[in-house]
């Protein structure tokens, strides 16, 4: 008996045709003929990005160990630097201080990685913990994680930094002795107590020596704390160069708040409103006896000169 399509009922014929089309479509998709290649799409689009501006070669954000660290110093301007850098689309920064290399190292790198923000391929992951710079164990620990990591240190006049540090201490612990008392081992003999934390942090050359035992100077960038206030765009430009990034953060992002005495952001990350750093920034410092300031200048002078030589940069502190 001869088979004829004409002999089939119209409903059966329609069903066979629909099934055949479905089979062909499935085979087509399995062979990848109809799927666009994201890599090819990226190469054919401007800057290798998709219509949303995302790196089309990697649509999956993952948690990775940091490529850069702001390692210090306390009361130098590290919070300002971090908040300013977060304006850059190629930077993903942890907002809080994880204190991994100085306090939580026993938790391991897996825990540390879990703390990091998710980032796309090509984005720089970073965090800041100012205590790293002065903690003896941290250079070796960080080197054990990455030999190529980039390190940033914000430094300012060590005397101003110490007074700012003390101002923060008394805001949290009222009733402690005056700065003038704590700054000396023996005030009548004029012996400065270089082991007192607010003064010890300012011995930058002493701390830098430990870092240079593990990292070349080319991997350490010093941010001038006073210039970060006077010219934030200029300092951020140099930081972006150091990180190998396009200079996207410019003077258009800042305005100077005369009340606080600090630069503020016109439009911070994730907001359309101007933003200044918290109320704790720009506290009024207590008045310090001028004679004590003079003694501190004598104490820090040789340390500062040695630091200038080591860093290859004169910060101009008197």
């Amino acid at each position: 008996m001869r088979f004829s399509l004409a002999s089939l009922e119209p409903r059966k014929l329609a069903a066979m045709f629909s099934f055949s089309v479905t089979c062909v479509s499935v085979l087509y998709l399995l062979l990848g003929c109809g799927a666009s290649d994201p890599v090819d799409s990226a190469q054919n689009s401007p800057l290798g990005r998709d219509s949303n501006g995302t790196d089309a070669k990697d649509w999956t954000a993952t948690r990775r160990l940091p490529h850069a660290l702001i390692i210090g110093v306390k009361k130098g301007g590290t919070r300002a630097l971090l908040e300013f850098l977060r304006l850059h689309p190629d930077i993903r920064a942890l907002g809080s201080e994880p204190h991994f290399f100085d306090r939580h190292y026993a938790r391991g790198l897996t825990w540390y990685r879990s703390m990091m923000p998710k980032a796309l391929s090509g984005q720089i992951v970073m965090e800041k913990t100012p205590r790293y710079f002065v903690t003896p164990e941290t250079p070796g620990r960080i080197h054990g994680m990455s030999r190529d990591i980039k390190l940033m240190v914000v430094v300012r006049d060590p005397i101003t930094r110490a007074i700012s540090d003390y101002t923060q201490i008394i805001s949290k612990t009222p009733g402690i002795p005056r700065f003038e008392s704590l700054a000396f081992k023996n005030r009548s003999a004029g012996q400065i107590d270089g082991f007192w934390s607010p003064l010890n942090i300012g011995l930058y050359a002493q701390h830098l020596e430990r870092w240079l035992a593990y990292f070349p100077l080319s991997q350490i960038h010093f941010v001038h704390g006073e210039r970060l206030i006077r010219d934030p765009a200029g300092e951020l430009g140099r930081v972006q160069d150091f990180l190998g990034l396009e200079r996207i953060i410019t003077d258009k992002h800042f305005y100077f708040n005369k009340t606080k005495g600090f630069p503020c952001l016109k439009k911070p990350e994730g907001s359309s409103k101007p933003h200044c750093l918290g109320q704790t920034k720009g506290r009024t410092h207590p008045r310090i006896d001028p004679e004590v300031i003079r003694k501190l200048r004598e104490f820090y002078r040789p340390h500062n000169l040695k630091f200038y030589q080591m860093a290859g940069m004169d910060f101009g502190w008197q």
Side-chain angles (χ1 to χ4, degrees), residues 25-62:
S25 299
V26 170
L27 182 61
Y28 188 72
L29 290 173
L30 287 174
L31 291 174
C33 298
S36 60
D37 187 343
V39 175
D40 290 341
S41 298
Q43 291 173 343
N44 292 330
S45 63
L47 301 178
R49 297 177 181 271
D50 64 15
S51 59
N52 295 320
T54 303
D55 188 343
K57 295 184 180 182
D58 186 353
W59 294 334
T60 306
T62 57

Side-chain angles (χ1 to χ4, degrees), residues 155-177:
V155 290
R156 65 192 290 202
D157 184 321
I159 299 174
T160 308
R161 197 222 65 81
I163 297 171
S164 180
D165 198 345
Y166 174 78
T167 303
Q168 183 179 58
I169 293 171
I170 60 176
S171 72
K172 298 179 179 179
T173 315
I176 66 171

Side-chain angles (χ1 to χ4, degrees), residues 18 38-39 52 75 88 100 110 116 130 134 138 161 163 170 182 185 187 197 204 217 229 242 253 259 262 276 284 308:
S18 177
V39 175
N52 295 320
K75 308 309 296 179
H88 202 292
F100 174 65
T110 300
M116 294 301 114
V134 299
T138 54
R161 197 222 65 81
I163 297 171
I170 60 176
L182 296 171
K185 292 179 182 178
R187 187 171 180 181
S197 179
Y204 302 139
L217 192 62
I229 295 173
F242 171 69
H253 292 98
T259 302
F262 281 93
C276 285
T284 301
Y308 298 168

Side-chain angles (χ1 to χ4, degrees), residues 240-253:
Q240 290 170 94
D241 292 345
F242 171 69
L243 295 174
L245 297 173
E246 181 183 353
R247 285 196 177 197
I248 290 177
I249 307 169
T250 63
D251 54 5
K252 69 180 181 182
H253 292 98

Side-chain angles (χ1 to χ4, degrees), residues 57-74:
K57 295 184 180 182
D58 186 353
W59 294 334
T60 306
T62 57
R63 299 187 193 280
R64 288 173 285 150
L65 292 171
H67 309 90
L69 296 173
I70 300 173
I71 59 174
V73 297
K74 181 184 179 184

Side-chain angles (χ1 to χ4, degrees), residues 19 38-39 44 47 65 67 76 80 84 105 111 113 119 146 161 163 176 178 203 214 224 231 234-235 259 269 283 313:
F19 179 76
V39 175
N44 292 330
L47 301 178
L65 292 171
H67 309 90
F84 296 165
Y105 192 64
W111 176 84
R113 183 187 291 110
S146 172
R161 197 222 65 81
I163 297 171
I176 66 171
R178 289 174 54 83
L203 300 176
Y214 290 91
H224 195 305
D231 179 22
E235 280 302 295
T259 302
E269 181 188 35
R283 294 187 187 98
M313 181 177 177

